[in-house]
Amino acid sequence: MKIAVIIPAYKVVHHVEQVILQIDDSVHTIYVVDDCCPKKSGDFVKKKIKDNRVKVLYNEKNKGVGGAVITGYQAAIKDGMDVLVKVDGDGQMNPLLINHFVQPIIQGEADYTKGNRFYDLKYIKRMPLLRILGNLSLSFLTKLSSGYWNIFDPTNGFTAIHRKVAEKIDFEKISNRYFFESDMLFRLNILRAKVVDIPMDAVYGDEKSNLKINKVLLEFGLKHLKNFSKRIVYNYFLRDFSVATLELLIGVLLIMFGLSFGLYHWFANPLHIPTPTGTVMIAILPIIVGIQLVLGFISYDVEHVPNQTQSKLM
């Protein structure tokens, strides 16, 4: 199978050369995508790297990391590559691990693999505290919106995907910037693709990340809410209508009724006269039962993470 590596190149002239030099001969083609870099990363690679596998692509305007990866994906698909690996050009990802990401796809055990820097706890100590906290928050939101409850470290950009699965993704709809990795997981769930985490260590040197987690939490939160809503509608109303769907519907309705009933009587009683026990129970019981039903739905959702490789069926 032909393996392609896509390297988004934006302000990485101090690291991209070393990244490319570490890519072994198992890789057929290396696509370096100059995302309208002010430091001319593409020209730098052409001048410095004498490797016939390297193809430099240019985006006429800056599209963000997601847009750069999509440019590489489209070129690799057109060239008939089989497995598409994305590696950052800033040196934080070890190219020697590429084989670990590719093998599950070649062996038919996964459609998409992604890195996870949280497998080995000793490596977490090297990670900045703010990044750890941000990843914990974003990981939970991603689990909720994508439906992949078995994965972690969603902003990790070290990934590999089978060409047949990549061809099914509508790249015009996917987020082009830092939400790209999380949005990919949502799109993959809609395709019912199997995703597998790959343990890895991250290297933190003098490079600077352009992703400021404290500034994107709100933006990412709103996008996750949108994807979560779409996923629920697609998977539990349009494609299927199961007991889990009823649990979610009835649970939400009961919670809304209990809250509305309770708040109505709270505001309708400005003197705060003791409320009859029956009134209190009418408000509390629907909330309790509703929460239990919603938890039942979540349990069903967790148990039904996609676990069959779709590339075999395409």
Side-chain angles (χ1 to χ4, degrees), residues 112 142 146 148 151 181-189 195:
Y112 184 83
T142 302
S146 71
Y148 288 108
I151 59 93
E181 284 85 7
S182 298
D183 208 13
M184 273 290 290
L185 290 170
F186 162 71
R187 307 289 170 181
L188 290 167
N189 184 282
V195 176

Side-chain angles (χ1 to χ4, degrees), residues 21-54:
L21 292 176
Q22 292 183 75
I23 298 176
D24 64 32
D25 294 337
S26 65
V27 173
H28 185 277
T29 307
I30 302 169
Y31 299 90
V32 178
V33 184
D34 184 328
D35 193 29
C36 196
C37 177
K39 295 186 178 182
K40 306 296 182 182
S41 298
D43 294 342
F44 173 83
V45 169
K46 281 186 174 180
K47 180 179 179 181
K48 283 284 187 177
I49 304 298
K50 306 303 179 183
D51 187 331
N52 293 330
R53 298 177 300 167
V54 176

Side-chain angles (χ1 to χ4, degrees), residues 140-151 182 185-186 189-190 192 227-228 231-232 235-236 298 300-306:
F140 178 75
L141 291 174
T142 302
K143 288 172 183 285
L144 197 63
S145 68
S146 71
Y148 288 108
W149 295 92
N150 59 326
I151 59 93
S182 298
L185 290 170
F186 162 71
N189 184 282
I190 300 303
R192 305 304 293 169
N227 281 354
F228 170 74
R231 181 174 74 84
I232 296 303
N235 289 347
Y236 291 98
I298 293 175
Y300 178 92
D301 196 44
V302 170
E303 292 177 0
H304 287 76
V305 171

Side-chain angles (χ1 to χ4, degrees), residues 155-188:
T155 59
N156 194 312
F158 203 160
T159 64
I161 187 171
H162 197 292
R163 185 197 72 246
K164 291 182 179 179
V165 176
E167 287 176 331
K168 297 295 182 180
I169 296 175
D170 188 346
F171 291 126
E172 293 184 1
K173 293 183 178 180
I174 199 166
S175 179
N176 277 340
R177 299 195 176 273
Y178 291 118
F179 194 65
F180 174 75
E181 284 85 7
S182 298
D183 208 13
M184 273 290 290
L185 290 170
F186 162 71
R187 307 289 170 181
L188 290 167

